[in-house]
Amino acid sequence: MFIFSRNNRGTLANWWWTIDKPLLFFITLIIAIGALLNFSASPAVANRIGAGSFHFIKRQFIFLPIAYGIMLFFSLQNLKNIRRTAVLGYIGTVILMILTLFLGEETKGAQRWLPIGGFSLQPSEFIKPTFIVVAAWLFEGQKKYQDFPGNFLSVGLFGFTLLLLLLQPDVGMSIVVTVIWFFQFFLAGLPFLIVIILGTLFIIAAGAAYFIFPHVQVRIQQFLASENNLSYQVKKSMEAFENGGFFGTGPGEGVVKMHIPDAHTDFIFAVAAEEYGMILCLFIVAIYATIVIRSLLISLKDNNLFIILSASGLAASFGLQGIINMASTLHLIPTKGMTLPFISYGGSSLFGVALGMGMLLAITRKNVHAEDQDE
């Protein structure tokens, strides 16, 4: 196409020749797999609540084009606009999270959803990508400007973000944000003594969460329970893996989805295991790993600290969320109520991950410095 000619200096042509195409392909592939699995998992859940077989599918196929558009739009941006987006997005998300504490809907003991025009928005889904990029900018500022207290500001921002998440409470998201921030701080040159201190504090905080939050205590007790005392959803999830074997029972032939309340969200990986077998599950794991590893390799080739920290953080966040969801489904860790990125049903989850991946695609573009007026 003429628009993608190397001689064309337009925005779209420049985007096409600078975007990391393998990364874009694998992200698109995981989105396509998610659409396929929603066709398998959603109708049974919708029928069980009396909403009509295609209720969730119709909603998801409204969300998907919007999410993909969000990702492509932000992948077009330069570093200056990505930083602005992160700052404004973080401020907006914080405001919405505070409103959620007062006006939000409570589900399963957590107040994370804000009703907006018939749609339940989960603002905390947007805190991860925006916080990661803002933290990367602050860490870069510490190295770049002698009198700029970037590390101190980042610690304060992290503490404030963690407080908002724990007030909901959202322990799973708190763990992800903590691990990613710690990872970024480590890459930015965190002294080894502070690594030990922060690591110790994290272990103490994790132990305290067991006694402070009743739902955390219940989930850990269920995780440690004998096979007969496993939670209903985990027990059914394990049955799905047993039924599926290596090649699966076949598309639409799974039965466990008829019984798992969250088959289309937190336990969609179990549906994939039963109907398509371990072969698809391993393929999904491989795609997530490829996206994360490729992003890390691209970012580490750059000498710009902001690119290294933000790209590494966004990629690690994407991979860690996937690991937590899949490990919970396989009963390797306590359940966290965390979606599988780009695969689980849900508008907030899709849009939040799309924002993060859009910024990642922008940051990992070739010669992105040339478009950044601040560089």
Side-chain angles (χ1 to χ4, degrees):
M1 294 177 63
F2 174 73
I3 193 172
F4 293 146
S5 167
R6 288 189 179 274
N7 296 322
N8 190 318
R9 300 303 179 192
T11 302
L12 287 178
N14 181 61
W15 170 84
W16 177 251
W17 292 114
T18 58
I19 196 80
D20 188 77
K21 296 178 186 64
L23 195 56
L24 178 62
F25 169 76
F26 285 114
I27 292 173
T28 303
L29 181 58
I30 207 71
I31 292 173
I33 292 173
L36 173 68
L37 291 178
N38 268 277
F39 266 110
S40 295
S42 296
V45 180
N47 286 331
R48 191 162 55 247
I49 64 173
S53 298
F54 295 100
H55 172 74
F56 293 116
I57 292 174
K58 288 177 181 177
R59 290 171 67 89
Q60 190 75 346
F61 275 80
I62 292 173
F63 298 149
L64 277 173
I66 297 173
Y68 202 73
I70 289 172
M71 185 181 74
L72 293 181
F73 173 78
F74 285 106
S75 72
L76 287 161
Q77 307 306 311
N78 57 31
L79 294 184
K80 182 178 181 180
N81 287 337
I82 291 298
R83 286 191 285 253
R84 285 176 174 172
T85 296
V87 172
L88 295 176
Y90 179 82
I91 293 171
T93 299
V94 165
I95 292 172
L96 290 174
M97 287 179 69
I98 293 173
L99 287 175
T100 302
L101 296 175
F102 299 98
L103 305 175
E105 298 174 338
E106 186 173 333
T107 304
K108 298 180 182 179
Q111 197 160 323
R112 306 172 192 167
W113 294 269
L114 189 65
I116 300 176
F119 172 73
S120 293
L121 179 70
Q122 187 176 349
S124 59
E125 290 288 351
F126 300 91
I127 204 72
K128 290 198 307 290
T130 54
F131 171 77
I132 287 169
V133 176
V134 172
W137 195 6
L138 292 174
F139 286 134
E140 182 205 29
Q142 176 77 31
K143 300 289 185 180
K144 197 172 182 180
Y145 307 106
Q146 186 175 1
D147 298 325
F148 183 74
N151 290 353
F152 177 78
L153 291 174
S154 182
V155 170
L157 195 72
F158 165 70
F160 177 66
T161 303
L162 193 63
L163 176 64
L164 284 178
L165 288 170
L166 292 175
L167 286 174
Q168 296 191 341
D170 193 340
V171 178
M173 191 75 75
S174 300
I175 291 173
V176 171
V177 168
T178 299
V179 171
I180 299 306
W181 177 78
F182 190 78
F183 174 59
Q184 289 182 296
F185 207 165
F186 180 77
L187 290 179
L190 181 66
F192 186 70
L193 178 61
I194 299 180
V195 171
I196 296 174
I197 293 173
L198 290 178
T200 304
L201 289 175
F202 178 75
I203 293 172
I204 293 172
Y210 176 82
F211 297 99
I212 296 173
F213 301 108
H215 72 286
V216 173
Q217 192 172 111
V218 169
R219 287 178 177 177
I220 291 177
Q221 288 174 348
Q222 288 176 339
F223 174 72
L224 297 174
S226 62
E227 186 175 348
N228 293 330
N229 294 319
L230 293 177
S231 70
Y232 177 77
Q233 294 206 107
V234 171
K235 190 180 295 185
K236 289 296 180 182
S237 175
M238 297 308 293
E239 288 179 15
F241 281 91
E242 290 177 9
N243 296 341
F246 194 77
F247 295 104
T249 58
E253 298 299 320
V255 295
V256 173
K257 65 189 177 187
M258 306 289 183
H259 307 286
I260 301 180
D262 297 327
H264 61 321
T265 53
D266 301 350
F267 286 87
I268 198 167
F269 195 58
V271 176
E274 184 176 32
E275 298 194 357
Y276 298 93
M278 286 302 297
I279 190 168
L280 178 62
C281 292
L282 293 173
F283 185 59
I284 290 172
V285 171
I287 296 173
Y288 278 113
T290 300
I291 292 171
V292 173
I293 293 171
R294 185 168 183 83
S295 300
L296 292 174
L297 291 176
I298 293 172
S299 66
L300 292 175
K301 288 179 181 178
D302 207 290
N303 59 3
N304 182 290
L305 186 61
F306 171 73
I307 289 178
I308 294 172
L309 296 180
S310 54
S312 298
L314 289 168
S317 172
F318 182 76
L320 181 60
Q321 184 171 336
I323 289 171
I324 290 174
N325 177 279
M326 291 183 282
S328 299
T329 305
L330 285 162
H331 190 51
L332 297 176
I333 61 172
T335 55
K336 295 291 183 184
M338 192 166 288
T339 57
L340 190 56
F342 280 140
I343 291 182
S344 295
Y345 166 83
S348 297
S349 174
L350 268 177
F351 299 155
V353 176
L355 173 62
M357 290 298 98
M359 292 195 290
L360 177 63
L361 285 168
I363 292 166
T364 54
R365 281 167 53 199
K366 298 174 185 175
N367 303 318
V368 69
H369 304 285
E371 301 175 23
D372 187 14
Q373 299 301 317
D374 288 346
E375 295 298 313

